[in-house]
C-alpha cells in the first residue's frame, strides 16, 4: 500500500467519524466513488475504532511509514531477547512481526498489543491471566503461545511462527476439493476439541485465523484471544463483539469477519463452545462452496443475515454426501439448543465420510490358527469318494469336467457371521469368476470384511473395511462394495482407502451392474440406484404399504444389467421374487420365494432354508420349465437368505445354524439354573417388574416372530397375539411395548385388547423400544437414520419424541437410571470398540466412559448402584459400582461370570437382571458349533440327475 493510498483512507476515515451514523453510509458511498476496496479499508478502521481497538488519533500510527507495507517503526528494533525483522500482518488485536529469538535460535511471531490494552490496567491484567491459560494449549493444530514480553514500553505476545497461506487465501481461489476440505476440517475440529477440553473457546474462528503450512498441516491461530480481549461477561453492546475487528486489507475480509459470528454472539449474549461450532460450520460451508455462508454489503446487513437468514444451500456441490449436509445444518442451527453439542461429533461425521482404515494383520487375527484352518479346509474338500487339494482344482483349466467340489471356510472361535444376528443383510459375496469369496464377520475386534481365495489356506482382512457389512463385487471382480458408517462405499479387492459412493443406511442387499451402476435396498423404502463413481441416488421402487408391502430387498442385476431381480416381503402373503425392466420400470412377479440370481441360465432362489433352481427365459422373463431342489439347510435369519451365486455357477452359502437357545438363570457366582426345558430360537428376554414372568421373542418354524410370556412360578406359558419384534415390559407390568412395521405399539400383557399406536415411524428409519423409565413416564427408544446410524430418542407420555443423542456414532442399547437423571448407553465410534457411556439426562451435554476394553448391552440395577454390561463377545457379564449423587462416579469394572451366551446385534440387550441384582436371565447357546461358509463348485452339473419339482406357485 502506498503512502498516498493510506492518506486517502485516513482522510475519508476522519471525515466519516465526524458524521452521525445515519449519514455515514451516504457519505462513504460518495467519498469512495465505487471503489469497494477503498470503502472496505475505511470500514475496517471504523469498526476497529468503534470496538475500542483503535483510537481515532492513533490511526496515523497504524499507517505504513514507507511504501513497503512490510516495514514500520518497529522493524529492526529489539524487544528483550527478540530481534524484530519485518511486519507480516496487522489485525484488530495489533500488529504482527517476524522476529528472531536470540536465546533459543528460532523464528517467532511477535504480536504488539493495541494501546487500549496497555492503557487499561484491569484489561491488561485480565489479558495476561487468559494468555497464561492459553499457553497451556499444546496441540499440533494450534498455533502456540510462547509467552508475554514487556520491553521499552511495548507489550507483546510471543507466538509460534506459522509459515504458509491462510485458509482465506486458499478459498480465494475457489471451492476446495472435497477430500482436501475433509482433511482440513478434521484438523480444525481436532484443534477445537482439544481447546474445548480445557474450557477454552476461540470466539473468533474464521479462515483468516487458520493457516496451512507447506506440508499441509493446519494451524488454528489466535485461540482464545477474543475472550482475553473482552472478558467473559455478556454485553448488549454489539460493538464489543471481538469479531468486528480489522481482519486485514484484502477484499471481503471485513464482511467475512462478521459473517462467522454466532447468533448469540451477535446479540451480545454469553457464549460457550457452541459458538465455535457455529463458526466451524461457516468455515466448512465456505471451503465447500467458495462463498461465505452469510454475507452482505455492510457489517450490519451481514449480522442481520446471521440472525435471520439461512445459508444458500444450493451453493454447495450437488454431489456432496448427505452426511456433510446434515453436519452443516447441525452446526448452523440458529437456536443454540438445537446445535451440535460437541465438536468431536463433527469429527465423527468427517471420519464417516473419509472412512479411515484401521487394520490388523492377518497373523495377529489368526492367532496361530492357520494350521487348524488349513487342515479343516483340506478335510472338507471331496470329489466323489476322493479328496483333492483346493489349489490344484482352482488352477485346473478343466475344472468343469472334474465334478462337484465342496469345501468350507471356517471362522476362528471368537468370530461369527453377521448372518447369525437376525435382521441383517446377506453377509457374503462371490466374485463373478467364482474364485474369491468376501464375507463380513464380527468379533471382539469389531466388524470388518475378509477375503478368501479358492487357492488360499487362510482369510485375509480387507483393509479399509472396518465396520463394514453387506459386501458385493464389481462385475470385473476388482472392487468390493460394502456399507459402513451409514455410507455405501467401495474399496479395491486388495484393500486400501475406501471411496464413498452415497449415503445409505439399513441396507438389505446391493448389486453392481456391468454398466457401473449400483442398486441397493433400504429398509421400508424400496430400491435405489446410483453411479458406482458416486453422485445423486435415484429411487427405483417404493414400498407400497397400501398393497401390504413391507420391504423390497435382495436386489440382483441380470447379467446384461438391464433388469433387476428383487424380493418383496408382504404383510399377508408369501414373499415373492419379482423382476423389473429398468427401461420401463415395469415389475413382474416370477415365483414365491426370496433371493434370486440368474446364472448359467438358471434362476436360483430360496424358500425358507431350501434352495431351488429353474431354467429361466430371459427374453420372456419367465420360468422355462419345472425346477429342482438344489439343497437344504441354507441360513435364512429373519427371512434373509444367506447365499450367493457366481456367474460361473459357483455357490456359497451359510449353513443354517440351529440358533437354538436355552433360557437359564445365572447367579453372580456363575451357578446355572434352567428356567424352562425348552430349546427355542429365543431372543430379547425380559423379566416382569414383579419378577414372576418372563417375556421373550421366539422365531417360529415359519420364520415369523412370536411373543411368549412364561409364568416361571406356575410353569405355564401364553402366546401374546401380536406381530412385531423387541417386546419390553412397561413399568407397571400390565402392558407390553414392541416394534411393528417400524413403529412402536403398546398392548395389554394379557392380550385382551388390540395393540395401540404409541410412536409412529418418522422417515427415514425404523423405531425400536429399549426401556421405560422406572416411574413409567419416559420411553427410551432407538431410531435408525442414514446420516447418523442409530440414535437414542426419548418420549414422555403424551408429548412429542425428542432426540437425546443423534450423532454419527452408532448409539445402541440405552436405559435411564432409576432416579431418571442419567442415561447409560452403548456407543460404537467409527473404527473403535463399542463402549458403555453414561450421560446426564435430559441435557446429554457430556459423557463418561464406564466400560474398560469394550462393552455392549448395558443395564442399570433397580437400586441404581450398579451398571451391568457384557463383553463384546457376549461371554462375560461385568458389573461396575456407580453413584449418581451429587454427581456421577463409576468404579472399576469386574467380571461376575461367563458362559456361551452368543451376542446378538447389541443394538438392544439380549439378557435381563432381577430387581435384587442377584439373578441374570441369559440365553445360552444349545450347541458350540463354529461359524462357517460352504462353497460348492460345479453344482449345476448335478441338476440333470435331480428330480423336478413344481416351483411356479
Amino acid at each position: 500500500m502506498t503512502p498516498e493510498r493510506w492518506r486517502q483512507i485516513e482522510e475519508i476515515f476522519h471525515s466519516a467519524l465526524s458524521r452521525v451514523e445515519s449519514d455515514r453510509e451516504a457519505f462513504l458511498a460518495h467519498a469512495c466513488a465505487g471503489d469497494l476496496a477503498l470503502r472496505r479499508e475505511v470500514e475496517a478502521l471504523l469498526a476497529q475504532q468503534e470496538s475500542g481497538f483503535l483510537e481515532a488519533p492513533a490511526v496515523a500510527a497504524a499507517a505504513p511509514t514507507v511504501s513497503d507495507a512490510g516495514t514500520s517503526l518497529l522493524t529492526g528494533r529489539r524487544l528483550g531477547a527478540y530481534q524484530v525483522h519485518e511486519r507480516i500482518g496487522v489485525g484488530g488485536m495489533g500488529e504482527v512481526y517476524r522476529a528472531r529469538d536470540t536465546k533459543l535460535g528460532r523464528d517467532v511471531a511477535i504480536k504488539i498489543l493495541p494501546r487500549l490494552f496497555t492503557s487499561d490496567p484491569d484489561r491488561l491484567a485480565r489479558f495476561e491471566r487468559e494468555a497464561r491459560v492459553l499457553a497451556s494449549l499444546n496441540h499440533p493444530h494450534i498455533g502456540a503461545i510462547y509467552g508475554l514480553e514487556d520491553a521499552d514500553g511495548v507489550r507483546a505476545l510471543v507466538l509460534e511462527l506459522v509459515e504458509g497461506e491462510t485458509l482465506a487465501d486458499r478459498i480465494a481461489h475457489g471451492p476446495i476439493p472435497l477430500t482436501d476440505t475433509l482433511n482440513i476440517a478434521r484438523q480444525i475440529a481436532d484443534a477445537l476439541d482439544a481447546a474445548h477440553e480445557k474450557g477454552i473457546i476461540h470466539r473468533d474462528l474464521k479462515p483468516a485465523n487458520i493457516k496451512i503450512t507447506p506440508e499441509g498441516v493446519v494451524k488454528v491461530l489466535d485461540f482464545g484471544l477474543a475472550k482475553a480481549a473482552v472478558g467473559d461477561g455478556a454485553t448488549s453492546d454489539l460493538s464489543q463483539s471481538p469479531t468486528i475487528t480489522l481482519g486485514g486489507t484484502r477484499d471481503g475480509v471485513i464482511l467475512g469477519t462478521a459473517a462467522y459470528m454466532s447468533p448469540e454472539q451477535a446479540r451480545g449474549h454469553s457464549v460457550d463452545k457452541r459458538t465455535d461450532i457455529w463458526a466451524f460450520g461457516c468455515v466448512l460451508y465456505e471451503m465447500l462452496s467458495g462463498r461465505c455462508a452469510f454475507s452482505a454489503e455492510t457489517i450490519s446487513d451481514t449480522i442481520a443475515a446471521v440472525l435471520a437468514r439461512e445459508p444458500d444451500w444450493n451453493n454447495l456441490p450437488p454431489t456432496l454426501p448427505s452426511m456433510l449436509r446434515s453436519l452443516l445444518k447441525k452446526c448452523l442451527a440458529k437456536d443454540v439448543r438445537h446445535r451440535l453439542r460437541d465438536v468431536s461429533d463433527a469429527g465423527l461425521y468427517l471420519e464417516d465420510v473419509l472412512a479411515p482404515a484401521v487394520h490388523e494383520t492377518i497373523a495377529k487375527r489368526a492367532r496361530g490358527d492357520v494350521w487348524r484352518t488349513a487342515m479343516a479346509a483340506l478335510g472338507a474338500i471331496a470329489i466323489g469318494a476322493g479328496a483333492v487339494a483346493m489349489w490344484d482344482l482352482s488352477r485346473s483349466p478343466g475344472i468343469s469336467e472334474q465334478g462337484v467340489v465342496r469345501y468350507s471356510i471356517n471362522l476362528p472361535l471368537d468370530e461369527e457371521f453377521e448372518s447369525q444376528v437376525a435382521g441383517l443383510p446377506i453377509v457374503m459375496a462371490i466374485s463373478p469368476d467364482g474364485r474369491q469369496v468376501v464375507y463380513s464377520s464380527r468379533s471382539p475386534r469389531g466388524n470388518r470384511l475378509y477375503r478368501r481365495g479358492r487357492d488360499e489356506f487362510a482369510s485375509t482382512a480387507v483393509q479399509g473395511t472396518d465396520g463394514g457389512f453387506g459386501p458385493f463385487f464389481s462385475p470385473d471382480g476388482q472392487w468390493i462394495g460394502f456399507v459402513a458408517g451409514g455410507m455405501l462405499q467401495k474399496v479395491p479387492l486388495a484393500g486400501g482407502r475406501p471411496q464413498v459412493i452415497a449415503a445409505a443406511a439399513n441396507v438389505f442387499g446391493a448389486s453392481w451392474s456391468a454398466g457401473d451402476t449400483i442398486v441397493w435396498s433400504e429398509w421400508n423404502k424400496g430400491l435405489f440406484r446410483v453411479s458406482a463413481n458416486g453422485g445423486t441416488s435415484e429411487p427405483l421402487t417404493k414400498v407400497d404399504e397400501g398393497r401390504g408391502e413391507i420391504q423390497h430387498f435382495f436386489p440382483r442385476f441380470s447379467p446384461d444389467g438391464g433388469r433387476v431381480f428383487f424380493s418383496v416381503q408382504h404383510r399377508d402373503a408369501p414373499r415373492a421374487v419379482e423382476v423389473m425392466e429398468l427401461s420401463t420400470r415395469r415389475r413382474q412377479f416370477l415365483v414365491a420365494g426370496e433371493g434370486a440370481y440368474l446364472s448359467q441360465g438358471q434362476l436360483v432362489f430360496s424358500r425358507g432354508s431350501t434352495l431351488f433352481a429353474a431354467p429361466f427365459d430371459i427374453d420372456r422373463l419367465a420360468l422355462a420349465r419345472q425346477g429342482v431342489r438344489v439343497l437344504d439347510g441354507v441360513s435364512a435369519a429373519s427371512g434373509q437368505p444367506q447365499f450367493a451365486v457366481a456367474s460361473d455357477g459357483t455357490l456359497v452359502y451359510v449353513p443354517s445354524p440351529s440358533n437354538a437357545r436355552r433360557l437359564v438363570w445365572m447367579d453372580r457366582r456363575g451357578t446355572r439354573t434352567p428356567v424352562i426345558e425348552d430349546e427355542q430360537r429365543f431372543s430379547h428376554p425380559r423379566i416382569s417388574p414383579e419378577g414372576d414372568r418372563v417375556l421373550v421373542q421366539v422365531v417360529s418354524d415359519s420364520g415369523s416372530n412370536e411373543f411368549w410370556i412364561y409364568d416361571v412360578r406356575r410353569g405355564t406359558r401364553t402366546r401374546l397375539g401380536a406381530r412385531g419384534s423387541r417386546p419390553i415390559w412397561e413399568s407397571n407390568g400390565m402392558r407390553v411395548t414392541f416394534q411393528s412395521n417400524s413403529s412402536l405399539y403398546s398392548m395389554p400383557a394379557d392380550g385382551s385388547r388390540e395393540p395401540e399406536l404409541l410412536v409412529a415411524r418418522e422417515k427415514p428409519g425404523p423405531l425400536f423400544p429399549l426401556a421405560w423409565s422406572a416411574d413409567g413416564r419416559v420411553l427410551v427408544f432407538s431410531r435408525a437414520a442414514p446420516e447418523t446410524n442409530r440414535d437414542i430418542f426419548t418420549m414422555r407420555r403424551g408429548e412429542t419424541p425428542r432426540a437425546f443423542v443423534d450423532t454419527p456414532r452408532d448409539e445402541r442399547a440405552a436405559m435411564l437410571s432409576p432416579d431418571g437423571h442419567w442415561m447409560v448407553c452403548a456407543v460404537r465410534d467409527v473404527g473403535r470398540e463399542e463402549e458403555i457411556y453414561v450421560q446426564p439426562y435430559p441435557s446429554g451435554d457430556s459423557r463418561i466412559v464406564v466400560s474398560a476394553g469394550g462393552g455392549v448391552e448395558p443395564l442399570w440395577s433397580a437400586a441404581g448402584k450398579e451398571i451391568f454390561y457384557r463383553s463384546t463377545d457376549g461371554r462375560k457379564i461385568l458389573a461396575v459400582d456407580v453413584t449418581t449423587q451429587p454427581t456421577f462416579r463409576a468404579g472399576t469394572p469386574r467380571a461376575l461370570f461367563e458362559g456361551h451366551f452368543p451376542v446378538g446385534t447389541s443394538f438392544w440387550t439380549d439378557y435381563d437382571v432381577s430387581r435384587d441384582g442377584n439373578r441374570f436371565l441369559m440365553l445360552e447357546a444349545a450347541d458350540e458349533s463354529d461359524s462357517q461358509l460352504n462353497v460348492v463348485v460345479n453344482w449345476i452339473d448335478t441338476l440333470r440327475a435331480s428330480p423336478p419339482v413344481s416351483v411356479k406357485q
Side-chain angles (χ1 to χ4, degrees), residues 378-388 402-406:
L378 285 172
I381 302 171
I383 301 180
V388 64
Q402 299 195 34
V404 179
V405 180
R406 298 179 176 88

Side-chain angles (χ1 to χ4, degrees), residues 360-363 365-366 369-370 373-374 408-412 415 417 436-439 441 449-453 456-462 933:
E360 291 183 273
T361 64
I362 183 60
R365 185 187 74 85
D369 288 338
V370 173
T373 304
S408 297
I409 298 173
N410 294 293
L411 269 64
E415 290 189 11
F417 291 117
Q436 299 282 343
V437 173
V438 170
Y439 59 87
S441 72
L449 302 186
Y450 291 91
R451 178 189 59 80
R452 171 74 71 88
E456 296 175 325
F457 277 127
S459 299
T460 303
V462 181
L933 285 172

